[in-house]
Amino acid sequence: MKISMQVNGQSHVVELTDEYTPLLWVIRDMLGLKGTKFGCGKAACGACTLHVDGEAVRSCSYPIKFAEGKKITTIEGLGDATNPHPVQQAWIEEIVPQCGYCQPGFMMATAALLDKIPNPTDQDIDDNIINVCRCGTYYRMRKAIHLAAEKQSALKTTNEPTNS
């Protein structure tokens, strides 16, 4: 079967024999985007989180057949070194990563959260960011999420048209 999808703004067509192949393996092994990580393989830890049509999805348990015609965003498509996404910038400023393995999944989950809840409370963060970090960087992540919310809000205010 052939699957057409857009990944980080680029169109891709992949051909697979198993329609239940996890999206994670297509992203990593066929498209070569290694930022999305394999953690538990059970959609429990969130290391494999990416966006499908703007929704945070655990790609290790997302069959490729459901990606047909979808827009996929990975950590590589969120921002880049010269123009990082507010979440990526906040992660840098708060020095969040320790080993760093799970961080792309946390950043993707956070970006999706901020799109839905621009100014999350601690309770919103606890309810929505349920990924697992074996290094225990949760305190720094919480600070980074609040900082990212401020940065994203400031960007929207700066980019709003003025009425003059």
Side-chain angles (χ1 to χ4, degrees):
M1 78 181 302
K2 288 185 177 180
I3 301 290
S4 299
M5 59 187 167
Q6 198 174 73
V7 179
N8 299 334
Q10 294 185 335
S11 295
H12 292 275
V13 178
V14 295
E15 190 163 351
L16 299 148
T17 56
D18 183 359
E19 66 186 12
Y20 290 99
T21 299
L23 175 60
L24 173 65
W25 299 129
V26 172
I27 295 294
R28 287 184 57 84
D29 296 344
M30 297 180 79
L31 303 182
L33 298 169
K34 304 293 187 181
T36 306
K37 305 299 185 200
F38 174 76
C40 65
K42 300 176 183 174
C45 74
C48 63
T49 303
L50 47 67
H51 296 174
V52 175
D53 285 345
E55 295 290 325
V57 167
R58 306 276 169 102
S59 64
C60 71
S61 62
Y62 189 89
I64 189 64
K65 70 178 187 177
F66 295 127
E68 173 63 35
K70 305 286 178 148
K71 292 181 180 178
I72 314 294
T73 305
T74 68
I75 191 69
E76 292 92 344
L78 198 60
D80 58 40
T82 57
N83 189 22
H85 186 278
V87 172
Q88 293 169 313
Q89 186 62 44
W91 246 246
I92 292 167
E93 291 180 24
E94 293 295 342
I95 314 171
V96 173
Q98 188 164 325
C99 85
Y101 190 82
C102 64
Q103 299 302 311
F106 271 100
M107 287 188 273
M108 295 305 290
T110 298
L113 169 66
L114 295 180
D115 285 344
K116 291 180 181 168
I117 306 172
N119 190 18
T121 63
D122 285 346
Q123 189 63 51
D124 293 329
I125 294 168
D126 290 345
D127 292 345
N128 290 282
I129 306 298
I130 55 173
N131 299 30
V132 176
C133 174
R134 295 173 75 181
C135 300
T137 61
Y138 298 105
Y139 174 73
R140 294 194 308 256
M141 279 189 259
R142 182 182 303 277
K143 287 177 61 180
I145 292 168
H146 288 297
L147 179 59
E150 291 173 25
K151 289 181 174 297
Q152 191 157 303
S153 177
L155 268 179
K156 286 182 179 175
T157 301
T158 302
N159 294 332
E160 286 181 2
T162 57
N163 294 329
S164 56

